[in-house]
Amino acid sequence: MKTVYVATEGQKQYICSLIEHFYTCMFPKYFTDNEIETFQSLGILQFEPSTYDGTLKEAFAIISALQSLQVIIEYVSFHHLSDHYEHLFQRNVEQLEQHGISFPLTLGHFLHKKDEYVSMYTKPAHAWVM
């Protein structure tokens, strides 16, 4: 008999918030709204907590892969690209794909930020409407 621990609802919500961070904070810096809309229609970084029956180990693997990708993207945007970071990026993408989360982008897509651009995907700075 093997004991398996199921991921908690909080972990599922945290995975969703990490993915939302990609769409609202990271993608608008590098892609246009049309490209981001295409990502959504293609199911990039799609995670359905209602259909996810993952284990605690799988949840931690997904969370660590998403966090690692965020850190690598932010680091490379301020520093230079190296083979080491390309390898780390690819390894985390493969980790996500093992758990059914598609991320077909490469680190090269995140090397150059766009000029200042107002995106409909970016979170507002505050909740007050002027």
Side-chain angles (χ1 to χ4, degrees):
M1 184 161 112
K2 183 176 181 180
T3 303
V4 177
Y5 297 98
V6 177
T8 66
E9 190 61 35
Q11 290 164 326
K12 294 175 188 178
Q13 291 172 356
Y14 186 61
I15 291 170
C16 290
S17 72
L18 287 172
I19 291 172
E20 181 184 347
H21 180 77
F22 269 93
Y23 275 97
T24 59
C25 297
M26 300 190 76
F27 286 167
K29 293 177 185 175
Y30 302 96
F31 303 103
T32 65
D33 286 352
N34 289 336
E35 291 171 321
I36 296 170
E37 188 176 328
T38 302
F39 295 165
Q40 286 180 327
S41 66
L42 293 174
I44 293 176
L45 284 179
Q46 185 175 356
F47 177 75
E48 297 295 329
S50 60
T51 60
Y52 175 73
D53 292 328
T55 63
L56 187 63
K57 181 179 177 182
E58 291 172 325
F60 280 129
I62 292 170
I63 290 169
S64 65
L66 289 169
Q67 289 175 334
S68 296
L69 288 173
Q70 287 178 359
V71 169
I72 293 166
I73 290 168
E74 289 171 2
Y75 180 83
V76 169
S77 69
F78 290 110
H79 299 85
H80 64 282
L81 177 65
S82 71
D83 291 337
H84 175 68
Y85 292 106
E86 183 72 39
H87 172 73
L88 288 175
F89 184 88
Q90 190 57 39
R91 188 173 77 188
N92 285 288
V93 167
E94 290 169 2
Q95 184 73 28
L96 288 176
E97 289 174 353
Q98 287 177 359
H99 298 289
I101 300 174
S102 172
F103 194 82
L105 303 172
T106 65
L107 192 53
H109 288 105
F110 299 98
L111 291 180
H112 305 289
K113 289 185 177 182
K114 294 184 323 204
D115 294 331
E116 290 297 318
Y117 176 73
V118 177
S119 172
M120 68 180 199
Y121 290 96
T122 304
K123 282 187 176 180
H126 52 78
W128 293 85
V129 178
M130 298 292 199

